[in-house]
Amino acid sequence: MKSSPKTPSWKTLLRRSVETPKALAGRIPIDPLKIKPVTDQYPMRINPYFLELAIKAGRPILDQVVPDPRELEDSIGMDDPLAEDANSPVPQITHRYPDRVLFTVASVCAVYCRFCTRKRRVGRGKAVSVREIDDGIRYIRMTPAVRDVLVSGGDPLMLSDERLEWILRRLREIPHVETIRLGTRMPCVLPSRVTPALAKTLKKIRPLYINVHFNHPAELTPAAARACGRLSDAGAVLGNQTVLLRGVNDDASVLAGLFRGLLKIRVRPYYLLQTDLTKGTDHFRTTIETGLAIMDRLRGHVTGLALPHYVVDLPGGGGKVPLVPGYTLRKERGDWIFRNYLGAEYRYPAPAGSEP
Ligand SMILES: *Cc1c(COP(=O)(O)O)cnc(C)c1O
Ligand code: SF4
C-alpha cells in the first residue's frame, strides 16, 4: 500500500464519510436496498477513520454505525424519551435538574450512532443558529441557579475552534457558572479532531470537564489514546460515558477491558448508561438484570477507579437514577446484614443506644 505524504485533516476525513447505502455496500457486504428505507428516516455517516476501525474490529463496532432494518420496526421506543423538548425553556437548552443545564450547540456528528438518544434530531434538523446560541447563553446568564453547563449536541467538537471558543468564553464569563462540561464522541470516532490548536483553545477554559464516549475496548486505539492524552495535558478532566448495548458490550469481561483501558489513558469511567427508550433503538436494549449482573461481576474484582455508576435515565424526563446490585440483604434488630462481592454475609451493627 502506498502511504500518503500527509495524513488528511479531520475536515478532509469528514468530507470522505460514507453516507449512502450504495457507498457503504462498496465497503462491506450489505444489501443497499435493505437499508435505504432506514437511511431515508435516520441519516447515516461513517467517517473513514471509524469505518476502517469497524471493518477491522467487526460486529461490536460495525453495529454501532451500520443502519439496521430493525430501526424501523421498534414499536416501544419514543422520539423524545427523556422529554428533553418539554423541559426546554429556550431552544437548545434542557433544564431538568436545579443546578445544571444541557446546552446543545451542534446538530451534527462525525458518525451517526444507530442507538443515539437524540436520533430524532441529530443530522436531520437544521444547524444550530447563532441566534439560538445567544438565547441559550442569555438564559444561563439570567438563571443564577445554573452552576454547571453541559455543552453537548450533536457533537460540539464539530464546530470550528473559533466558534467553540466563542461559546465557552462567554459561558466562562458568567459568574455563577462554576463548571463547564463538554460531551463529545470525537476522541473515539475521529481522534484527529483533537489538534494541538484545539488543545490550546481548551486550555484557556478552566475548569473544564470533558465527557467522552467509548463503548468497546477495540475503540481504544493509539490515535484515541493520543487524543485523550492531549486533552488531559491541556488541563481538562476526562470522564467517560458508555451506553450498554446488546451484542456490543453487554459482557462483564468486555466492559472490564474497556474500563481498565480508559484508566490507562487517563479517562475515568463516569456512567454506564442503560439504553434509553428511543424509537429505533429497541434492538440494542438489554434488560436491567443483565446490567446489574455485569456490575456485580465487576465490583470488588476490578479497581474501584474503573467502575462507573450504572444509571437509567427515566423515560418521561425523571432524570437519572443509579442501579446498584443488592448488597444489603436484611436488617436484624438494628443490624444491617450485607453480602460482599464474593457472596459472603457480614453484619454491621447499629451504634450503641440507637433506636432499633
Ligand atoms: C444527564 C443530564 C445531566 C447531567 O447529569 P449528571 O448526573 O450531573 O451527570 C444534566 N441535564 C440533563 C438534561 C441530563 O440528561
Ligand atoms: S456521537 Fe453522540 S450525539 Fe452523535 S450520534 Fe453518536 S451518540 Fe448521538
Side-chain angles (χ1 to χ4, degrees):
M1 212 169 94
K2 244 186 1 197
S3 66
S4 57
K6 186 169 168 289
T7 30
S9 74
W10 67 276
K11 283 182 187 155
T12 303
L13 287 175
L14 264 182
R15 269 198 303 275
R16 294 183 192 155
S17 292
V18 165
E19 300 189 344
T20 64
K22 203 163 152 260
L24 186 61
R27 302 295 306 276
I28 63 169
I30 48 139
D31 177 355
L33 292 177
K34 279 217 174 94
I35 61 165
K36 176 80 171 49
V38 183
T39 55
D40 286 346
Q41 182 83 13
Y42 302 111
M44 160 172 61
R45 173 176 290 165
I46 317 176
N47 73 67
Y49 166 83
F50 206 67
L51 182 59
E52 207 170 292
L53 177 66
I55 289 170
K56 209 166 70 189
R59 249 204 78 191
I61 312 299
L62 282 170
D63 284 2
Q64 295 184 51
V65 289
V66 173
D68 185 316
R70 287 177 294 178
E71 291 173 46
L72 301 179
E73 291 158 17
D74 179 356
S75 59
I76 296 176
M78 303 174 266
D79 277 332
D80 181 12
L82 308 179
E84 290 183 329
D85 298 339
N87 287 302
S88 179
V90 296
Q92 313 305 343
I93 295 261
T94 299
H95 195 171
R96 176 168 9 263
Y97 297 107
D99 70 338
R100 52 212 190 276
V101 293
L102 173 69
F103 189 14
T104 47
V105 301
S107 60
V108 290
C109 304
V111 298
Y112 290 129
C113 310
R114 309 319 300 176
F115 52 82
C116 180
T117 295
R118 301 200 188 105
K119 216 175 158 85
R120 70 185 182 283
R121 30 194 276 215
V122 298
R124 306 172 89 192
K126 45 187 177 29
V128 178
S129 68
V130 173
R131 168 80 188 274
E132 285 172 324
I133 305 250
D134 274 335
D135 289 350
I137 292 174
R138 185 171 313 115
Y139 175 81
I140 295 165
R141 197 184 299 123
M142 296 187 22
T143 314
V146 176
R147 294 200 189 97
D148 180 14
V149 179
L150 260 103
V151 177
S152 183
D155 201 311
L157 292 191
M158 288 292 280
L159 302 178
S160 68
D161 294 356
E162 293 73 26
R163 172 65 79 91
L164 191 65
E165 179 172 3
W166 174 74
I167 295 170
L168 295 178
R169 270 187 187 278
R170 289 171 71 203
L171 289 173
R172 188 69 290 167
E173 283 162 8
I174 302 173
H176 55 265
V177 171
E178 295 171 7
T179 46
I180 299 173
R181 279 196 253 183
L182 264 183
T184 175
R185 217 185 164 191
M186 272 314 178
C188 172
V189 297
L190 187 58
S192 55
R193 171 63 184 101
V194 185
T195 58
L198 176 70
K200 209 172 143 199
T201 298
L202 296 180
K203 199 166 181 169
K204 301 177 209 159
I205 312 294
R206 290 196 184 177
L208 180 65
Y209 291 79
I210 301 182
N211 269 347
V212 295
H213 173 175
F214 288 84
N215 291 329
H216 191 276
E219 295 164 359
L220 299 172
T221 63
R226 270 196 306 279
C228 291
R230 197 169 266 170
L231 293 172
S232 291
D233 288 344
V237 180
L238 268 56
N240 180 71
Q241 306 199 159
T242 293
V243 184
L244 182 60
L245 299 167
R246 193 160 96 202
V248 172
N249 60 13
D250 56 340
D251 177 278
S253 61
V254 167
L255 285 179
L258 172 64
F259 298 152
R260 286 203 309 258
L262 284 164
L263 275 190
K264 286 200 256 177
I265 59 171
R266 287 187 282 166
V267 180
R268 176 87 204 266
Y270 176 58
Y271 278 150
L272 173 64
L273 293 146
Q274 176 68 18
T275 307
D276 291 326
L277 234 63
T278 310
K279 193 174 195 58
T281 67
D282 198 58
H283 57 293
F284 281 115
R285 285 201 301 137
T286 59
T287 61
I288 285 179
E289 285 80 353
T290 302
L292 285 171
I294 289 172
M295 289 308 289
D296 201 19
R297 291 220 11 224
L298 299 181
R299 169 74 57 192
H301 298 273
V302 174
T303 172
L305 268 181
L307 291 192
H309 303 284
Y310 174 38
V311 296
V312 58
D313 215 337
L314 299 173
K320 299 177 184 72
V321 295
L323 292 162
V324 182
Y327 295 106
T328 51
L329 298 177
R330 60 188 180 276
K331 263 180 106 175
E332 285 176 5
R333 278 168 279 102
D335 297 358
W336 284 86
I337 313 298
F338 291 95
R339 70 160 171 94
N340 76 348
Y341 73 103
L342 297 170
E345 286 195 17
Y346 292 84
R347 175 181 300 264
Y348 181 90
S354 62
E355 293 289 327

